[in-house]
Amino acid sequence: MISFLISIAILILGYFVYGNILERIFGVNEHNKTPANRLADGVDFVVLPNWKVFLIQFLNIAGLGPIFGAIAGAMFGPVAFLWIVFGSIFAGSVHDYFSGMLSLRHEGKSISEVVGIYLGRNTQQIMRVFTVLLLIFVGTVFLVGPAKILDGMTDGFLSVWGWVAIILVYYFLSTLLPIDKVISKVYPVFGVAMLLMAVGLLGVLMFGDYHIPELTYDNLRNMSSSPQDTPIFPILFVTIACGAISGFHSTQSPLMARCMGNEKSGKVIFAGTMITEGIVALIWAAVSMTFFGSVEELNGAMALNGNNAAWAANEISLKMLGPVGGILALFGIVAAPITSGDTAFRSARLIIADTFNVSQIKFSKRLLLSLPLFAIAVALTQIEFGIIWRYFAWSNQTLATIVLWTISIYLVQSSKNYWVALIPAIFMTAVCSTYILIAPEGFGLNSALSYPIALFFTLIVLAWFVVRGKKISKVNHVNNE
């Protein structure tokens, strides 16, 4: 319990201390007119109250991530606490805050456009395709996943495909209609429900007969059932993405950058939601290690149920929170992923619109860009869910890594402290390159070969940054003379 409470305290402290540092490095100017004010179009550029923007951003980035990822990460043991805490503060907050604020400073542009500004046109073209594909993956995962959960909750009342059709209709409306017509009205309710579920679980942990394992020297190890197949590095750092750092967040931040009325709100909306998500992930990780009796028993229960995190989340919610838990589970485990899925499609539409400079004021143009996205998603539903999820997990962290390098270059160009982004960029490069080499869905190489190759690749990327940084510094020096 002590390790858990200290972890929560560090996350909260991290928001106020490190969040202020990030805000100071960026150089917020509350007198700047935001894109929502300058480019108001009544569709995507709409000023919303800060509390709504916070809850929408939280639900956008959260979805099932801090629940399912935390449950899977808890199978490694209390070491998961460390990644959630330090990942959220020193990687996730940096990634989310700067990606959101750079979008805000660049007319609310999508993340692929922001990357192009700092890493060049070739990278921009690759990122446009990469991010759209990632977002379609997210939309598909959060289309099929909730449909299966609803089918289980209703004993096959409509069938999985019946629920898929209903969710698809909702996605269609939320993607095409102005952001203040559906999303701004529905999201705050679901966001509050998800937070209430986490607070309820926290209360039961604190005052119930539960014993959260402490983070000690003895259990600072891989406690999963097959540590040789799932090494902590890099598997844990990809398993827990939302709740630590996730590239998907950078695709969602521009949506809210187009709805903010003041730059000063950036810390609470971008860094604040990241830390809040970290706290939710921490609670779910602690609950998972505790509810089943121990980390070992968690691994056993998950193995018996096909490592189905949805099953575990449902069991925990119903048995720890009772009838109220059932209602909150419906919101938190079903509604939350649906609300991430719809904004994934909305983000994909905006990226394509930015790419081809297509105005989104007319409904017909929004429809033209959205229909192919839904068609591809429906086709992808025929592929096994697990396969899509595995590739999404790696591509998601790869996107986060690219965004961190983009932020590092921006900070060099601006003659600001680039170490806040460079250190997590180096770390995540090592994580992603090792993962694709070692994972079954990648090259499936052994660790003795994967680690040195990944280290070599990471050093090459770092060398590129050093060379690029020196060129930028020379230009800055000449311009300042």
Side-chain angles (χ1 to χ4, degrees):
M1 180 71 78
I2 294 175
S3 302
F4 171 69
L5 293 177
I6 290 174
S7 296
I8 290 181
I10 293 174
L11 277 171
I12 295 172
L13 188 64
Y15 166 72
F16 287 104
V17 176
Y18 206 61
N20 285 345
I21 292 172
L22 298 179
E23 187 178 53
R24 192 159 54 248
I25 290 172
F26 181 78
V28 167
N29 185 345
E30 58 185 316
H31 301 296
N32 284 346
K33 277 197 169 185
T34 64
N37 288 305
R38 285 184 285 102
L39 305 172
D41 63 2
V43 178
D44 298 305
F45 292 89
V46 179
V47 175
L48 296 175
N50 280 343
W51 67 270
K52 275 194 175 184
V53 177
F54 177 91
L55 287 171
I56 294 171
Q57 174 71 0
F58 171 69
L59 210 54
N60 279 354
I61 67 173
L64 289 174
I67 300 176
F68 285 14
I71 292 171
M75 296 168 70
F76 288 85
V79 68
F81 291 162
L82 292 178
W83 172 230
I84 292 171
V85 171
F86 294 110
S88 293
I89 296 171
F90 297 110
S93 292
V94 175
H95 172 276
D96 287 20
Y97 179 74
F98 280 101
S99 63
M101 294 305 289
L102 285 175
S103 175
L104 191 71
R105 284 277 176 91
H106 291 288
E107 312 293 352
K109 289 186 182 298
S110 304
I111 191 60
S112 56
E113 307 307 298
V114 173
V115 169
I117 291 169
Y118 296 101
L119 297 189
R121 182 165 177 77
N122 291 335
T123 307
Q124 180 185 58
Q125 300 288 25
I126 294 170
M127 283 292 293
R128 284 168 172 170
V129 176
F130 184 77
T131 50
V132 169
L133 287 175
L134 175 66
L135 289 166
I136 292 174
F137 277 153
V138 172
T140 304
V141 165
F142 290 158
L143 174 63
V144 177
K148 288 183 176 179
I149 297 171
L150 284 167
D151 183 54
M153 286 180 168
T154 57
D155 294 322
F157 175 69
L158 276 180
S159 82
V160 171
W161 298 111
W163 287 113
V164 164
I166 291 174
I167 296 171
L168 202 56
V169 169
Y170 167 75
Y171 279 0
F172 191 80
L173 294 174
S174 60
T175 301
L176 294 173
L177 293 178
I179 198 164
D180 60 340
K181 301 303 180 188
V182 175
I183 290 176
S184 73
K185 290 180 171 56
V186 173
Y187 273 47
V189 177
F190 292 156
V192 169
M194 192 172 183
L195 289 172
L196 284 176
M197 181 166 59
V199 170
L201 291 171
L202 176 61
V204 174
L205 277 178
M206 296 291 294
F207 303 108
D209 187 23
Y210 293 98
H211 303 283
I212 303 171
E214 298 292 349
L215 182 61
T216 65
Y217 179 79
D218 290 335
N219 64 22
L220 192 63
R221 56 185 174 84
N222 191 337
M223 299 176 70
S224 65
S225 56
S226 56
Q228 66 282 355
D229 297 324
T230 56
I232 287 178
F233 188 92
I235 305 299
L236 175 63
F237 304 98
V238 175
T239 300
I240 301 180
C242 294
I245 180 172
S246 167
F248 176 66
H249 295 188
S250 66
T251 68
Q252 301 304 288
S253 295
L255 294 179
M256 293 301 96
R258 301 180 186 212
C259 297
M260 290 167 55
N262 196 301
E263 279 193 4
K264 192 68 177 173
S265 308
K267 188 181 83 168
V268 66
I269 289 169
F270 299 124
T273 52
M274 178 65 249
I275 295 298
T276 303
E277 187 185 50
I279 293 172
V280 171
L282 198 65
I283 292 169
W284 274 98
V287 166
S288 304
M289 294 179 206
T290 305
F291 175 78
F292 295 97
S294 66
V295 176
E296 290 77 11
E297 288 175 287
L298 165 64
N299 277 278
M302 288 290 283
L304 289 173
N305 291 273
N307 288 321
N308 187 347
W311 166 82
N314 201 40
E315 285 287 301
I316 290 168
S317 300
L318 291 174
K319 292 182 180 176
M320 289 186 74
L321 298 177
V324 175
I327 298 171
L328 291 176
L330 184 65
F331 283 106
I333 302 172
V334 177
I338 290 175
T339 53
S340 286
D342 63 9
T343 49
F345 285 116
R346 192 179 187 94
S347 297
R349 169 175 67 80
L350 291 173
I351 290 172
I352 297 171
D354 286 347
T355 299
F356 296 103
N357 196 26
V358 179
S359 170
Q360 295 295 279
I361 295 177
K362 290 185 177 180
F363 181 85
S364 58
K365 291 187 177 180
R366 302 198 296 272
L367 180 64
L368 180 66
L369 296 184
S370 300
L371 283 177
L373 299 175
F374 290 120
I376 295 170
V378 170
L380 287 175
T381 60
Q382 306 305 308
I383 300 174
E384 183 185 342
F385 176 86
I387 294 174
I388 296 175
W389 181 260
R390 287 198 299 272
Y391 283 101
F392 159 71
W394 174 78
S395 57
N396 179 48
Q397 295 302 66
T398 300
L399 175 58
T401 304
I402 295 169
V403 171
L404 284 171
W405 284 112
T406 302
I407 296 166
S408 299
I409 291 295
Y410 155 74
L411 291 171
V412 171
Q413 285 187 0
S414 306
S415 300
K416 296 176 179 178
N417 179 5
Y418 56 82
W419 289 100
V420 293
L422 179 61
I423 292 173
I426 294 170
F427 179 77
M428 290 306 298
T429 301
V431 167
C432 293
S433 53
T434 306
Y435 185 89
I436 198 63
L437 289 168
I438 209 168
E441 59 269 25
F443 293 98
L445 302 178
N446 61 55
S447 57
L449 194 57
S450 298
Y451 291 137
I453 294 175
L455 176 60
F456 180 69
F457 177 76
T458 302
L459 290 174
I460 289 175
V461 177
L462 178 57
W464 161 83
F465 173 79
V466 171
V467 172
R468 181 78 176 266
K470 285 183 177 179
K471 289 181 179 178
I472 293 171
S473 297
K474 285 182 180 178
V475 172
N476 287 346
H477 179 72
V478 170
N479 290 338
N480 290 330
E481 286 184 341

